[in-house]
Amino acid sequence: MGRVTARRRASHLAAGRAAERPETLAVEEPLEIRVNGRALTVTMRTPGSDFELAQGFLLTEGVIARRDDVLTVRYCRGAQADGGDPLRPASPRLRYPLADNLNTYNVLDVTLAPGVPMPEVDVTRNFYTTSSCGVCGKASLDAVQSNSRYCPGDDPVTVRAQAITAMPDRLRDAQNVFASTGGLHGAALFDADARMLVVREDIGRHNAVDKVIGWAVEQSRIPLSGTVLLVSGRASFELTQKAVMAGIPVLAAVSAPSSLAVDLATQSGLTLVAFLRGDSMNVYSRPDRVIR
């Protein structure tokens, strides 16, 4: 798994006995995202799918709206490379160059297409993020309430309740790194018939969602009409906002929602499902989409 996991020794205590043994841990490293050479954000993430992470972040922050808004994504030059994402093209028009094979794999530069404006960064819109909370550095809710180009409330999709309750097990089965570390959040995108389209893992729940949305950007699938976004943890305001920005009509979470997440879902017409466990769930907004 390369730099996605790391081995560390630990003293295991059980039944009054102690034993030294190696443990597999999820890697956490910083990623600096630059736009047109200008530093925009630093996020703590699990390496892997970094190009998707950057594009998903830029879309959910309202910087880009589609794949054509991005000219190139590349790692910046630095120390000798020791692993990371394969530098694969998402399309003939979107290239990921690497200069001289010298790289830290912790700094990305996104070049916007001509005519796409640079994001404004000031003291009220601090993009520093952590692995636990994607909006911790932002000074006010006004700074994070971006206007989406897409309207989830207009999406006519309906999903059977049985299809939704089947999704968490499918997500867990696809979380290979979680199975070995127990330390990663998961996010997956399904169609209305519960077919899994993509799954991503990360130590940060917001990063996992950005990777999923970034995949959709690369596949030219934005807006994500007719889909269900499933997250392995709680439904926070930031995850709800990301779903709205990507045009996702249904957000499901295995844990609890926040009050602000419910308010945003109700306002935007997004169906918010939470406490998705076994054959039960709570539907907090637009319950007409869930067919019993």
Side-chain angles (χ1 to χ4, degrees):
M1 295 179 183
R3 293 165 58 236
V4 177
T5 62
R7 300 282 278 177
R8 298 289 187 273
R9 296 197 66 81
S11 295
H12 179 69
L13 307 178
R17 297 181 179 181
E20 292 286 328
R21 68 184 191 186
E23 293 287 335
T24 301
L25 306 179
V27 168
E28 181 177 21
E29 291 184 359
L31 176 68
E32 178 180 312
I33 300 174
R34 300 176 182 177
V35 176
N36 293 350
R38 179 183 177 186
L40 180 67
T41 185
V42 176
T43 185
M44 301 303 296
R45 98 300 189 194
T46 301
S49 303
D50 288 341
F51 303 125
E52 294 173 350
L53 170 59
Q55 292 171 91
F57 173 81
L58 293 178
L59 184 134
T60 58
E61 289 294 339
V63 179
I64 65 174
R66 59 189 62 86
R67 185 188 63 188
D68 290 346
D69 290 343
V70 177
L71 189 63
T72 61
V73 183
R74 66 178 180 180
Y75 286 112
C76 296
R77 300 173 73 177
Q80 181 66 38
D82 60 353
D85 280 2
L87 300 181
R88 53 173 175 74
S91 75
R93 290 176 294 169
L94 186 59
R95 295 166 298 148
Y96 301 138
L98 175 62
D100 300 331
N101 292 323
L102 297 175
N103 201 294
T104 62
Y105 289 95
N106 284 328
V107 182
L108 276 179
D109 188 26
V110 179
T111 301
L112 300 178
V116 179
M118 281 282 293
E120 295 182 3
V121 181
D122 56 33
V123 293
T124 68
R125 194 168 180 80
N126 176 8
F127 282 111
Y128 177 77
T129 60
T130 70
S131 59
S132 60
C133 175
V135 295
C136 291
K138 297 178 181 176
S140 70
L141 285 178
D142 289 340
V144 297
Q145 287 179 327
S146 305
N147 292 322
S148 176
R149 296 173 171 89
Y150 313 110
C151 183
D154 294 338
D155 197 312
V157 68
T158 58
V159 187
R160 293 178 298 108
Q162 295 91 333
I164 296 176
T165 57
M167 293 177 184
D169 286 342
R170 296 179 185 177
L171 171 59
R172 177 64 64 87
D173 290 343
Q175 287 188 256
N176 297 325
V177 184
F178 177 85
S180 62
T181 66
L184 291 182
H185 293 282
L189 195 68
F190 295 85
D191 66 14
D193 295 320
R195 287 188 291 263
M196 182 182 290
L197 305 176
V198 63
V199 61
R200 293 290 182 265
E201 296 179 276
D202 199 276
I203 201 162
R205 59 175 59 89
H206 60 288
N207 288 337
V209 170
D210 278 341
K211 289 177 179 180
V212 165
I213 294 174
W215 170 87
V217 172
E218 291 190 346
Q219 301 297 317
S220 296
R221 299 188 69 145
I222 300 294
L224 281 165
S225 305
T227 61
V228 179
L229 174 64
L230 174 66
V231 296
S232 61
R234 60 187 175 86
S236 62
F237 169 84
E238 56 164 341
L239 299 191
T240 306
Q241 185 196 33
K242 289 178 183 296
V244 172
M245 293 296 289
I248 297 170
V250 182
L251 170 62
V254 300
S255 191
S258 70
S259 61
L260 200 56
V262 174
D263 293 344
L264 178 59
T266 301
Q267 177 183 347
S268 62
L270 177 142
T271 297
L272 179 58
V273 176
F275 292 112
L276 179 56
R277 299 166 183 172
D279 61 355
S280 69
M281 70 185 80
N282 288 351
V283 185
Y284 290 87
S285 57
R286 287 296 304 270
D288 56 293
R289 286 199 178 104
V290 181
I291 307 301
R292 294 190 291 269

